[in-house]
Amino acid sequence: MTAEPAAAVRPRNRKQLIVEAGATVFSERGYHAASMEEIAAGVGITAAALYRHFPNKYALFAECANVTADRLVAALDDVPPDAALADLLAAVTRVTVAHRAAGGVYRWEARYLDRADRRLLKGKFARVVGRVADAVRREHPLPGEHLRAVAALGAIGSITMHHNSIGRRRVEDLLRASALSVAATDPTAAVADVGLVELPARPVPRTRRSEILAAAIPLFERDGFAVVTNGMIAEAVGLVPSGLYRYFPGKADILAAACLQAADLLTQAVEHNLRGVTDPLAALTATYVAYSFEHSALNSVANAEVVGLPAGLRRPLVAAQREHIAVWEEHLREARPDLDTRQARVLVHAGFGVVVEAGRHLRWQDTPEHRAAVAALFMGALDL
């Protein structure tokens, strides 16, 4: 008599494995491009087995976002109440770097979660920021301790926004030092050349194609990329839905074209504002901050949605970003010859992370004071 094959043993931590795989796929592909089938394959199970743990993609995404926040809360709870700021930031850095591949979920939680889940998650992150802000206030009694705490955490969280390869210990040390420098930076300190930068004027929509670009981004930012339809964009510019296809194959092409247009404006601004300056890093910083405030709606949409664009549309955007970072890298290594190429890139991205989180904290209210504060914190992230 032939024995029956032994039944496969279900791992006790299968739900945890699903969450880990889900967070990674969401981070790499974006919420809408990710599929439950792809996540299930990453765990080695069928989609049907995955649905026994999570009823739909939203439920899994919400769990991934909560796990991200819970890890940070738990890491800080393990640090004594009177611990030094360096110890708090070291704990946050260890967790963030260890789960770097899954950290992109945080960038999109506010866009995709419903109001109740967003409120729950906001409370968890507020605990993290509050704990760091208390230590910042205690050790560096300067203005804006909450802004500095948010910006320091943004420097650390930036590691989830790029794929630069660097050793774990090296990147932890680099990010912790950057965050400490941000926390100790006076946001009211003036940055050289911050008031002198110029941005090219936004193109006046003179063609139907440019009208479509100008109309689509506010819709994407307000309603969400997935919700906005080609018909809604067409209506905003006075076209019938089918008329849109004469200019763009679909809304993904519209987003990609808008991002490329903005990247070109940034390139022009950098070339102009670097001419004849004595402090190129200050000029670069002021330019990037001005660009971020000027194009906050587009950047918000791009940070959440570009990762999910088809490779052919995403490739030119990635190339434009790399060219921009190469300029930063050149000038940063001139100012800090102790840095190698990988370290310089990590610090540049840390500065970008500062701008994203500090800008959000300031609700992207575009004032000279806000631009100056964010620029000062960006320079702090470079640890000059």
Side-chain angles (χ1 to χ4, degrees):
M1 182 175 177
T2 304
E4 291 290 330
V9 178
R10 178 182 300 178
R12 292 178 180 271
N13 64 338
R14 174 168 285 179
K15 186 171 182 178
Q16 178 185 342
L17 294 174
I18 292 171
V19 172
E20 294 286 350
T24 300
V25 173
F26 286 133
S27 296
E28 292 178 351
R29 304 263 292 143
Y31 176 74
H32 296 291
S35 71
M36 295 292 265
E37 290 75 15
E38 184 178 5
I39 294 168
V43 187
I45 61 176
T46 64
L50 189 154
Y51 281 110
R52 286 199 288 269
H53 295 276
F54 296 96
N56 51 50
K57 184 165 73 170
Y58 175 85
L60 175 54
F61 178 79
E63 180 70 10
C64 292
N66 274 289
V67 166
T68 299
D70 290 340
R71 283 178 179 142
L72 293 175
V73 171
L76 292 186
D77 284 347
D78 287 340
V79 180
D82 58 348
L85 174 62
D87 294 334
L88 289 173
L89 295 179
V92 172
T93 303
R94 282 194 299 271
V95 170
T96 304
V97 173
H99 300 282
R100 174 183 182 180
V105 170
Y106 165 67
R107 300 202 297 276
W108 312 311
E109 45 82 15
R111 181 170 295 275
Y112 299 139
L113 293 180
D114 63 30
R115 183 173 298 179
D117 286 333
R118 195 159 58 240
R119 188 182 303 117
L120 174 65
L121 204 61
K122 185 177 180 180
K124 294 178 181 180
F125 281 117
R127 286 180 59 187
V128 174
V129 174
R131 182 79 189 277
V132 174
D134 287 343
V136 169
R137 182 188 306 110
R138 186 171 63 244
E139 296 187 19
H140 304 289
L142 299 166
E145 64 271 6
H146 267 82
L147 176 62
R148 288 183 285 136
V150 165
L153 292 169
I156 295 170
S158 67
I159 195 64
T160 68
M161 301 176 70
H162 60 90
H163 295 92
N164 290 323
S165 176
I166 185 170
R168 181 166 170 175
R169 180 61 62 87
R170 293 177 74 205
V171 77
E172 286 182 5
D173 291 345
L174 200 60
L175 290 175
R176 184 176 64 253
S178 177
L180 280 168
S181 178
V182 171
T185 297
D186 183 352
T188 64
V191 174
D193 297 328
V194 73
L196 305 178
V197 299
E198 297 179 13
L199 293 181
R202 297 192 189 197
V204 177
R206 301 184 187 279
T207 66
R208 185 67 76 177
R209 182 182 172 87
S210 60
E211 288 177 354
I212 292 169
L213 293 179
I217 295 305
L219 290 175
F220 292 153
E221 201 269 341
R222 186 192 68 193
D223 299 329
F225 183 77
V227 173
V228 174
T229 64
N230 288 341
M232 293 167 64
I233 299 171
E235 182 181 2
V237 294
L239 286 172
V240 296
S242 61
L244 194 71
Y245 296 106
R246 292 201 299 270
Y247 305 96
F248 295 98
K251 62 181 181 180
D253 303 87
I254 296 173
L255 175 59
C259 289
L260 278 176
Q261 182 185 80
D264 183 59
L265 292 176
L266 178 59
T267 298
Q268 294 177 45
V270 166
E271 291 175 351
H272 175 79
N273 293 323
L274 283 180
R275 291 174 189 155
V277 298
T278 57
D279 189 344
L281 284 176
L284 275 172
T285 297
T287 301
Y288 186 81
V289 170
Y291 165 84
S292 297
F293 275 94
E294 185 82 11
H295 297 278
S296 60
L298 174 60
N299 290 333
S300 174
V301 175
N303 284 336
E305 306 295 352
V306 164
V307 69
L309 290 178
L313 294 177
R314 191 172 65 249
R315 197 173 296 116
L317 303 177
V318 172
Q321 185 190 43
R322 286 176 177 168
E323 289 178 7
H324 179 65
I325 291 173
V327 177
W328 280 94
E329 180 189 324
E330 175 188 352
H331 291 291
L332 180 55
R333 293 189 68 198
E334 287 178 358
R336 289 193 56 184
D338 59 303
L339 299 174
D340 63 25
T341 296
R342 293 177 180 179
Q343 290 172 314
R345 288 175 189 163
V346 167
L347 285 184
V348 171
H349 280 287
F352 294 167
V354 164
V355 175
V356 169
E357 297 306 328
R360 284 178 178 174
H361 182 77
L362 296 171
R363 300 180 182 276
W364 295 111
Q365 295 175 355
D366 195 1
T367 67
E369 294 77 15
H370 284 174
R371 289 191 182 193
V374 176
L377 294 169
F378 192 133
M379 292 291 283
L382 301 180
D383 201 10
L384 296 170

